[in-house]
Amino acid sequence: MALKEISSNKCFEGFQKVFEHDSTELKCKMKFGIYLPQKAESIKCPVIYWLSGLTCTEQNFITKAAFHQAASEHGLIIVAPDTSPRGCNIDGEEESWDFGTGAGFYVNATEDLWKTNYRMYSYIVDELPHLINGNFPTDPDRVSIFGHSMGGHGALICALKNPGKYKTVSAFAPICNPTQCPWGQKAFNGYLGPDTSKWEAYDATQLVKNYSGPKLDILIDQGKDDQFLAAGQLLPDNFIAACTERNIPVVFRLQEGYDHSYFFITTFINDHIKHHVKYLHV
């Protein structure tokens, strides 16, 4: 698969790059950010995938999260894809900020209008790793995943649906129980149709109840002053209860005074990278 380099910026002796490619899963051009630490010039490095939230592109994390110094020090490749297909000319694609463009919800759509392009789950789990491993000096046996909000939901479901694929998972303010919140219900109804039994395959709180893979140590940070926590969009308590029931370790940190923004992510990003480093055996 041909990659077109869009940008390259030296950062902490490595390079933050953006590439574009034609996606076979999404049937459109897609961009992703990739940080290549200096260590990648001489050895194969572990990879962490970052999944962003609603309205984001590949740019938000790479310009706002201040992860580069820690990634450089630990020799980590960090990949930040876009959040949805782009420019597919689907009726309704651009009508709202929480559905369609910028809001792929990391599912494989089954509804006729969306099923050809909106296959973000397969893109993240299959196509993108194949592309990354084929073009960059990665260690494909040392991979983990994290994300924010809709992307935190994406990270959790990718880890829970693929036991052993990711060494660990963490999330900032994830949408933990999308079948029970307005964002998730709108997206799942649109992409997956009205049969709510189909929705459970993409709900972390439901998936964790049936998880039987290798031990997964989950870290979640949540801002206490997050307006979307108060609005009932995130529902972390439901996920924690399900994890507790199944004896799945989850460290949940409610951070006093923090909101849903990248200021919150920047504050705790190094903690999350340290968490991943522990399981990637860097």
Side-chain angles (χ1 to χ4, degrees):
M1 184 67 69
L3 290 178
K4 178 185 176 186
E5 188 173 299
I6 303 296
S7 64
S8 179
N9 301 94
K10 191 169 185 179
C11 189
F12 291 99
E13 302 307 314
F15 284 89
Q16 175 62 58
K17 295 176 181 279
V18 174
F19 288 91
E20 185 179 70
H21 71 105
D22 290 309
S23 169
T24 53
E25 284 287 356
L26 309 179
K27 309 289 189 292
C28 68
K29 288 189 184 302
M30 290 295 286
K31 290 178 184 170
F32 63 85
I34 183 167
Y35 180 68
L36 298 165
Q38 189 176 32
K39 283 182 183 173
E41 294 171 13
S42 55
I43 60 168
K44 289 181 181 290
C45 296
V47 188
I48 311 179
Y49 288 86
W50 168 270
L51 304 184
S52 287
L54 290 163
T55 75
C56 290
T57 69
E58 80 289 342
Q59 287 292 318
N60 298 69
F61 184 69
I62 67 175
T63 56
K64 292 181 178 180
F67 68 89
H68 293 96
Q69 185 169 6
S72 173
E73 287 172 0
H74 294 292
L76 301 169
I77 292 173
I78 300 196
V79 179
D82 202 347
T83 54
S84 78
R86 301 269 166 184
C88 297
N89 299 314
I90 300 169
D91 188 33
E93 190 177 32
E94 306 289 347
E95 280 178 12
S96 56
W97 63 275
D98 55 0
F99 183 76
T101 299
F105 263 86
Y106 305 104
V107 304
N108 285 345
T110 53
E111 289 295 279
D112 285 347
L113 203 57
W114 307 95
K115 67 183 182 183
T116 302
N117 304 100
Y118 277 67
R119 296 181 51 79
M120 285 298 292
Y121 174 74
S122 286
Y123 177 72
I124 297 299
V125 170
D126 298 321
E127 182 181 1
L128 187 60
H130 185 73
L131 191 68
I132 299 298
N133 295 337
N135 287 277
F136 302 100
T138 63
D139 180 348
D141 294 323
R142 290 191 292 162
V143 180
S144 62
I145 193 164
F146 61 164
H148 170 233
S149 194
M150 176 184 74
H153 141 77
L156 291 172
I157 66 167
C158 287
L160 292 167
K161 286 167 76 69
N162 298 277
K165 184 178 179 74
Y166 303 99
K167 298 300 183 191
T168 192
V169 58
S170 70
F172 294 82
I175 301 171
C176 289
N177 196 183
T179 61
Q180 301 302 313
C181 77
W183 276 341
Q185 289 166 350
K186 177 178 178 177
F188 287 4
N189 188 61
Y191 296 134
L192 304 173
D195 180 357
T196 55
S197 65
K198 286 185 183 176
W199 301 2
E200 294 184 358
Y202 296 105
D203 184 318
T205 297
Q206 295 298 326
L207 288 167
V208 83
K209 293 174 183 176
N210 299 307
Y211 181 78
S212 59
K215 182 187 169 188
L216 199 57
D217 195 354
I218 302 166
L219 170 64
I220 295 175
D221 271 313
Q222 172 64 62
K224 194 172 181 182
D225 288 3
D226 185 328
Q227 67 271 39
F228 300 116
L229 177 67
Q233 295 282 20
L234 308 176
L235 305 175
D237 292 350
N238 297 358
F239 181 70
I240 294 160
C243 286
T244 303
E245 204 173 290
R246 293 300 311 279
N247 292 316
I248 291 173
V250 55
V251 173
F252 177 77
R253 308 191 308 183
L254 192 61
Q255 303 289 6
E256 188 77 40
Y258 286 91
D259 59 19
H260 199 71
S261 72
Y262 265 85
F263 295 108
F264 159 60
I265 294 169
T266 302
T267 304
F268 300 105
I269 193 70
N270 285 354
D271 289 353
H272 282 246
I273 287 174
K274 283 176 192 165
H275 171 81
H276 287 257
V277 161
K278 191 165 56 171
Y279 294 97
L280 294 170
H281 304 297
V282 175

